[in-house]
Amino acid sequence: MMHGLCRSVSCHFEGSHSDINQSQIPAGATLLGTILSSDKTNISVLAGDRIAHPLLISLANIKMATRLKLSSHAFLLAALLPVPKFVHKNKRMKGVLEDRLIHQCLNIVLEPLKRAAQVGVMLSNPWGHNRYCFTPIASYIVDTPEAAMLATIGGKTSPVTMAMYKQFSDPFQHEPRTSSTTLAQLVAVASKADPSDLEAYFREAQKFRLNGVHIPFWRNIPMLCPSRFLTPEMLHYFHKEFWDHDCKWCINALGPEEINFRFSVLQPVTGFCHFKEGISSLKQVTGRTHRDVQRSIIGVIAVSAPRNVVIAVRALMDFRYRVQAYHITEKDLELISSALHEFHSHKHSILDAGLRRGTANKPIDNWYIPKLELMQSVVPSIPRVGVTIQWSADVTEHAHIDQIKDPARGSNNHNYDPQICRQLDHLEKCRGFELAMSLKDPELGLDTSTGAMDGEPGDEENDPSVISRCVTDYFARSLRLASSTPDTVPLPRRTFSASCIAFNLTYDPHIRRISVDNAAKQFGLSDLRAALADFLSYERSHSVDSVHPIGGGPRKAAENTELPFEDIQVWFKLRLQTTEIHTHSILPAQTLLASPPEGDWKYGRYDSVVVNVDSAKIWPASGLQGLLSIILFRISTIFIPCLIRTLDCTTPPHYAALGQAA
C-alpha cells in the first residue's frame, strides 16, 4: 500500500518520500504523500483571452508507472484559482497583489490538507477499511516563474537556494533556501514596513530578494520547505531549457540555413517528427518536438561546430538523458554529477565563440540562466524525493485538457468555472457507474489475460467495455499458443517470444498474397528468393529454436532457387514487448512501423532497432562498446509464406524478417 513515500532509500531511488517518514507518525497510521500542481492555461482558441488557473492534486502513493500514464487520470482538479485583473497603476504592484491572492487562496483550499498533515484524518482505503492518514506535501509541480512565486522570492533568484542571478553559473549547489530563513526575512521586513502599505513593504522585501507576499501558504505546514517540495521538473528544467538555450547555441554555431538543411535531409523515422523545413523558424513547439530535436542535435552539429562547444552540449544531453532514468543508483548519481561538471568545464567555449546571443543578435557574456542553477539541485533531490522523471509536468499539462479545456469548450463561455465543475462531477459519476457495472457483470471483468488469442478479432485492447486494464502480456500469450495443439490456434502463430522479448503481429496482414518475385521487385530485395532458401536450409539442418542472422552478405542459394511456396504474406507493423531491466516486470508493448518503397523513398521508411546477437552477452552489464555484439536493422517488412503447412518442419517455422543491415 505504501509505494515509495515511506520506503527507505538504499540502492535504487525509485519512489518518493518527504522529510516526514513513517517513524514520525503514530503506530498503525498511514502516510499519504500529496502531489500538487498549478499552472495557467488558455481556454479559448485563437481569440477570447480566457485563462484558467487550475490546482491539480494526486497521491505519491500511486505507483509511479501508473501515475505517469496519461490514461490513468491520476491528477484531479482540486480548485480553480482566480485570474484577477487589478486596477493599480503600477505593474509591479499588480503582480504583488496577484501573488498575495494566490497564496491566500491556496491557504484556504489546502486547509483540510494541512490539518490532516498535522493531526491526521480518517480515510477509507480501496478495500473500504478506515485508515488513520497523514497528508504531507511531497511535491508541487510547477514551472520556474510559478516556483518563484510559491517560494515568495523575486525575479532573477533561485526558488530553492540562496543563489541570485550573478551566481547562476557557479558549478556547485548553493545553500538551500529553507522555510525558516524565508520566514525570518519576512519578520524582518514586517518590522520595517506595514504589509498593507504595498509599495513600502515591497521596497523592503526587495532587499531580501522577496516578492512582497507576507503570508505564504506553506508557513504552518509541519516540516514543509519550498526547497524540498519544489521538486525538479523535467519539462521546464530540461526540455524547455534545451530549446531556449542549447538549441540556439547550435543554430548560431552552424547558421540557420546549414542546420535547417541538415535536419531536412535526416531519414524520416515513423513515430518521430521530421523537420523538412528545419528547426530555426519553429514557434510554439511542444515537449515532444523538444525531445525529437534532442535525439539528433549532437549528430547534426558534430564536426562542424567547435569541438569544445560540442562537448559542452553533449555533456548537457548526457545529464538530461541520465536524469530521465526510472531507476537511479549511487553510480548513476556520480555519472550525472560528472556530466554536469563536464559542461561547466567547457561552457566558456560557448561564450568565447559568441554563440549565446540576446536581442538584436548581440552576444551575451554571462550565464544568468535560472534553469542552469536549478540543475545543481537535481542530484541532491533524488535520494530525498525519488527519481526526477516522476515529477514531470507532461502529465499535469495533459490533465489540463481533460480537467479544464474539454469541459470549458462544452460551456457557453460565460461564468465557465462552475460549468467546468458540474461537467467534471457528471463525468466522474458516469465513470463510477460504468466501473460498478463492469465489476458487477462477470462478462465485463477487468482481467485482460482471458482475451482473444494471437491477434484474433475481438482483441481485448480494442474492447471499450474494459474500464481499467493491465498491460497485455504477450509472453503469456506466446506460451499459451506454443503449448496449444495446432488445430486449436490459427497458424501461423502471430505471437511468439524469445528470451526477454515478445513479438506480436496483427491477425490480418497488410498484403494478403503476393508472389516472391513480385515482392522482391516491389521492395527492392533482389536476393529475396535466395535469402528465403538459405533460411529454410538453415531451419532444416539446425534446431528451429536456434538464432541466426538473416540480412546482408553473400547467399549460398542461387537466385532462381525453387521454393516450396510461391506466394507470401506481408506485414508493415510489428509490436515488441520487453521486460523492465531492474524488476523484470513486463513493459507495455511498442510498435515498429515501416512503409514500403514509394516515390522519392526508394528504400522505404522504417524504424530502427538494436539487436543483441550474442547470447553470452547481457545488456546493460556487457555494455555497448566491444562487449556486446549489436547490429542495427532497418525493419523493412515481415514475410510469411502463404503455404506454411507445406514446409518440411515439425513445428511452425519462425518468421522471416528480411532487411538490409545498416
Side-chain angles (χ1 to χ4, degrees), residues 419-449:
Q419 297 184 58
I420 291 175
C421 295
R422 279 197 296 270
Q423 182 165 345
L424 290 176
D425 183 61
H426 173 74
L427 292 175
E428 185 176 357
K429 290 179 179 178
C430 290
R431 279 197 214 94
F433 177 78
E434 292 175 358
L435 180 59
M437 291 298 99
S438 66
L439 293 173
K440 183 178 180 180
D441 190 347
E443 296 182 359
L444 301 179
L446 303 181
D447 184 8
T448 61
S449 62

